Amino acid sequence: MKMFTFRSIRTQIMVSTTLLILGLIGAIVTVWVKSEDTLYRQEKLNDAKSISNILSYTYSNELSEENWSQIRLNIDLILRENEDFVYVFVSDNRQDNQIAAASPNEHQNQYIPDIVPLNITKNALKSSEKARISETFILKDIYFADKLRIKRGEPIIEVASDIRTLAGKKLGVLRIGMSLQKVDRAVANAVNQALTVGSVGLAVGWLCAYILARQLSDPVQRLQSSVAQIAGGDLQHRADIDNRTDEIGALATSFNEMSATLQISFSKLQKTLDSFERFVPDKFVSVIAPQGIENIEVGMASTQKMTILFCDIRGYTSMSEAMAPMEIFTFLNDYLACMGKAIDDAGGFIDKYIGDAIMALFDDDSTDCAVKAAILMLEALDKFNYERCLQHEQSPTETRLPHISVGIGIHRGTVVMGTVGFTSRIDSTVIGDAVNIASRIEGLTKQYNCNILITEAVVNSLYNPELLSLRLVDESVKVKGKDQAISIYEVLI
């Protein structure tokens, strides 16, 4: 498996130092915790075994004489004075190991207590000269003197000792359950102490490693940053390595000379790209040339489902005949800028200008943006006409400018976006039956005296048709070149 590597010298030094210190801390914590855990467990176990042996010897006479009241008082006192003790049971071997004395006393007269697993009870009742030690957990909450002594699931150690006569006859079994809470707290304290010491060591080691790494890596990182800035387009940037005279300084000088040459070349290239983007929309390029415009070739195409919008000025021919060529040129630029902004604001892009006509495309899943663009275009046109009228009022000697009205047709369907032409002359285009239908729908706006006409395909693709005011203009109209009739709707404003 390939090892994961770090590019930065500083990172390598820092990571290596950190891993080394963390390894040492981990080893220290492990050994420390294991040692503390063993020490505290052994201490608690010795205490329990000592108390168990003493009590077993003490209760021998009491159990022989069946002095149960005295035994019960004693084990209650033991539980009160030792907070680590969870329970104390004394079972009578003569009564089939029935618990004759218990604290807490609700377990008295039971044969198998329900606070520890069955196998623990079986192990405790076995006959043996030695104490039986079992580590287990509590099966339910235990209360003593109306206070919670231990919660369900917490670990305990049980020590069981036989109660025998001087002659060695087994009379019963003494069982003591001891909580490991203090052991866990002691282990936790040990962990905290180890982590504190380790953290101090890590901080000191990390600081020393950082100082060393910085001395070695700073010049290289600054040069790397300069490379990244130039790669990101900042061709005016120059590397500064504190006037170093070593190999890094020489590398920085060569780098700056290279970046100056690149700046001149890329400046010319950027101007060319900026000009190209004005002729071919960026969204169009991303579809037909996803790998970059430098890879564009004739015949590259992609099938897309899009919404097509056509907009045309009514009476443009007669209007243009009354204007000088330069006036027409100026008027068209002002008009197209006004309408183009509305299309951009709605999320569409202009595919081409056909004289005064505009063909725009919308690649969203719905057609709401296209309809929104048409509404914005009419609003922009009203403002355009108002400004032209205001301009005439301020200069009454000028020829009265005609009022501009347009027709907009919108259709949705599958089109082919691609490049056509030959080796030395390529053009982008959108071809498809949907384009022809959109153009024909725009032509019908004059016939039906509507500003905006949309097809049924557009209506069916709207996400929020309730936000629009639509009127069915013709439910069965045949456009030129199509045998199948379609429904058209007017968008009321």
Side-chain angles (χ1 to χ4, degrees), residues 123-143:
N123 183 59
L125 297 179
K126 292 179 180 178
S127 295
S128 176
E129 296 290 337
K130 298 181 179 180
R132 280 85 67 195
I133 301 169
S134 303
E135 186 168 338
T136 184
F137 56 92
I138 288 295
L139 298 179
K140 67 178 184 179
D141 296 347
I142 294 181
Y143 291 84

Side-chain angles (χ1 to χ4, degrees), residues 355-387:
D356 65 301
I358 300 173
M359 176 181 171
L361 302 175
F362 297 81
D363 58 356
D364 300 297
D365 293 336
S366 70
T367 55
D368 297 67
C369 289
V371 178
K372 177 183 177 182
I375 296 173
L376 292 177
M377 290 168 72
L378 292 184
E379 293 176 353
L381 184 61
D382 289 340
K383 183 178 179 182
F384 179 74
N385 283 323
Y386 173 77
E387 291 176 350

Side-chain angles (χ1 to χ4, degrees), residues 269-430:
L269 179 60
Q270 189 61 48
K271 291 180 181 179
T272 302
L273 291 175
D274 291 341
S275 299
F276 179 83
E277 289 179 357
R278 295 190 183 99
F279 286 94
V280 181
D282 182 64
K283 290 186 178 181
F284 199 105
V285 174
S286 65
V287 173
I288 64 174
Q291 297 179 351
I293 60 174
E294 67 276 7
N295 297 311
I296 289 181
E297 296 179 358
V298 176
M300 299 182 72
S302 175
T303 301
Q304 303 280 326
K305 192 161 188 178
M306 309 188 79
T307 306
I308 306 100
L309 179 150
F310 272 90
C311 176
D312 195 16
I313 297 177
R314 292 178 181 172
Y316 173 74
T317 302
S318 59
M319 182 181 65
S320 61
E321 290 175 352
M323 300 171 66
M326 187 54 68
E327 290 178 331
I328 297 174
F329 186 79
T330 303
F331 159 74
L332 277 179
N333 277 326
D334 292 341
Y335 164 77
L336 294 176
C338 168
M339 305 301 267
K341 185 178 185 307
I343 293 172
D344 282 344
D345 291 343
F349 63 95
I350 296 174
D351 174 59
K352 60 172 61 71
Y353 300 108
I354 311 169
D356 65 301
I358 300 173
M359 176 181 171
L361 302 175
F362 297 81
D363 58 356
D364 300 297
D365 293 336
S366 70
T367 55
D368 297 67
C369 289
V371 178
K372 177 183 177 182
I375 296 173
L376 292 177
M377 290 168 72
L378 292 184
E379 293 176 353
L381 184 61
D382 289 340
K383 183 178 179 182
F384 179 74
N385 283 323
Y386 173 77
E387 291 176 350
R388 282 163 56 85
C389 180
L390 188 63
Q391 180 182 353
H392 174 71
E393 291 177 356
Q394 293 174 352
S395 303
T397 56
E398 293 185 3
T399 306
R400 182 177 181 82
L401 301 175
H403 181 84
I404 305 301
S405 60
V406 298
I408 300 175
I410 305 176
H411 181 60
R412 181 174 179 81
T414 302
V415 298
V416 177
M417 303 176 66
T419 55
V420 295
F422 69 109
T423 307
S424 61
R425 178 66 174 90
I426 301 176
D427 194 9
S428 61
T429 189
V430 179

